Amino acid sequence: QVQLQESGPGLVKPSQTLSLTCTVSGGSISSGSYYWSWIRQPAGKGLEWIGRIYTSGSTNYNPSLKSRVTISVDTSKNQFSLKLSSVTAADTAVYYCAREIRYSSSWYWFDPWGQGTLVTVSS
Amino acid sequence: DIQMTQSPSSLSASVGDRVTITCQASQDISNYLNWYQQKPGKAPKLLIYDASNLETGVPSRFSGSGSGTDFTFTISSLQPEDIATYYCQQYDNLPRTFGPGTKVDIK
C-alpha cells in the first residue's frame, strides 16, 4: 500500500525558508486522481491545511499562507515538496504530508498520511 | 473560509459508554464531511467519509450522520483503544478546514 514519509531540517532560523520533502512509496505519484497535500499542526493545537498539488502540477494554497508557500512535484523521484518562506516562530509545527483522494468526482479524503515531522523555527 | 466548530472540546466517559461529538459548519457543506482519529504522537487516521460512510477496516462502533451544517459522530460503546482526539474536516470548498478537535479519554 502507499506510504508517505516526510524529510527535512528540524530546525529553521527565523526569516529563512522551510523546506520539506515527502517521499511516496508503494505507488506512483503520477497515477490516479490524487492531490498531494501538506498539513501542519502546532503543538497541542488543531490541523491547518497548507496546500496541495495535483498530478498535473496544478496547485492550490491556503490563502492565509499563499504568499509564502510553494508546493512542487518531482515525478522522477516520486516526491513532492513544500517551501515556506520568511518563517517565524508561529510556523513551528509538526508538518504532515498526505494524499487527498478524489472519489466519484465528489468525495475527497486524506489517506494515507505521513508520520509527521517537527519543524522548529528558532535562532 | 468555511469555519468548523466542534463540541465538546473534551470529554471523559466510561468503557462501554455511548459517546457523541457534534461538528458544525459555518455554511451548508451538504454531506462533504470527514472524521479523523488522532492518537498522541501519531498522524490522523480517516474513520468516516462523506459524513456517514465507514472507512474499510474501521470498527462498526464508530458512526457518523448529518448534512448541511450540523453533523454528529458517535462511538456506540467506548473502548480503551478509542482514547484519541477526533477531528471533523470539510471538503466542500478550498481551503480545506478542520474542526478544533474533541479529546476523548476514559473516566
Side-chain angles (χ1 to χ4, degrees):
Chain A
Q1 82 251 31
V2 171
Q3 294 184 310
L4 282 65
Q5 177 70 58
E6 305 89 350
S7 59
L11 180 64
V12 181
K13 291 183 176 3
S15 80
Q16 294 191 341
T17 296
L18 177 161
S19 295
L20 295 174
T21 296
C22 183
T23 300
V24 179
S25 59
S28 171
I29 201 170
S30 302
S31 64
S33 298
Y34 303 132
Y35 294 87
W36 303 95
S37 307
W38 289 97
I39 296 160
R40 69 180 183 179
Q41 184 173 38
K45 296 189 177 180
L47 298 156
E48 179 180 33
W49 181 81
I50 299 170
R52 68 184 188 181
I53 188 164
Y54 192 54
T55 50
S56 65
S58 66
T59 54
N60 302 105
Y61 299 129
N62 192 321
S64 68
L65 299 168
K66 186 174 183 177
S67 63
R68 299 193 291 131
V69 173
T70 302
I71 297 175
S72 59
V73 65
D74 185 338
T75 55
S76 67
K77 295 181 178 178
N78 229 32
Q79 295 175 334
F80 62 106
S81 298
L82 169 70
K83 291 189 185 299
L84 181 65
S85 64
S86 305
V87 297
T88 70
D91 295 309
T92 295
V94 173
Y95 285 75
Y96 294 100
C97 57
R99 181 181 67 174
E100 185 177 25
I101 296 171
R102 182 178 70 178
Y103 182 77
S104 288
S105 301
S106 301
W107 301 347
Y108 293 77
W109 60 82
F110 295 108
D111 182 67
W113 298 57
Q115 65 183 26
T117 187
L118 175 63
V119 178
T120 301
V121 178
S122 175
S123 55
Chain B
D1 298 7
I2 297 174
Q3 306 302 317
M4 307 300 294
T5 57
Q6 284 181 238
S7 62
S9 57
S10 65
L11 65 89
S12 289
S14 300
V15 172
D17 281 355
R18 183 180 185 87
V19 168
T20 299
I21 298 168
T22 62
C23 174
Q24 188 169 57
S26 60
Q27 65 188 65
D28 187 339
I29 59 169
S30 184
N31 54 341
Y32 297 148
L33 185 100
N34 300 322
W35 289 96
Y36 298 85
Q37 175 192 64
Q38 186 178 34
K39 295 186 177 181
K42 300 293 187 183
K45 173 190 171 186
L46 177 72
L47 297 182
I48 302 240
Y49 62 93
D50 195 40
S52 61
N53 291 289
L54 198 65
E55 168 70 337
T56 302
V58 173
S60 60
R61 65 180 179 274
F62 295 102
S63 64
S65 64
S67 66
T69 60
D70 297 302
F71 301 86
T72 300
F73 173 82
T74 300
I75 307 173
S76 61
S77 177
L78 185 68
Q79 300 302 304
E81 60 267 32
D82 300 336
I83 301 311
T85 300
Y86 294 85
Y87 294 93
C88 59
Q89 175 246 323
Q90 66 80 21
Y91 58 92
D92 180 62
N93 224 332
L94 293 176
R96 302 303 192 217
T97 48
F98 294 82
T102 295
K103 187 175 182 180
V104 175
D105 63 46
I106 299 288
K107 192 182 296 181

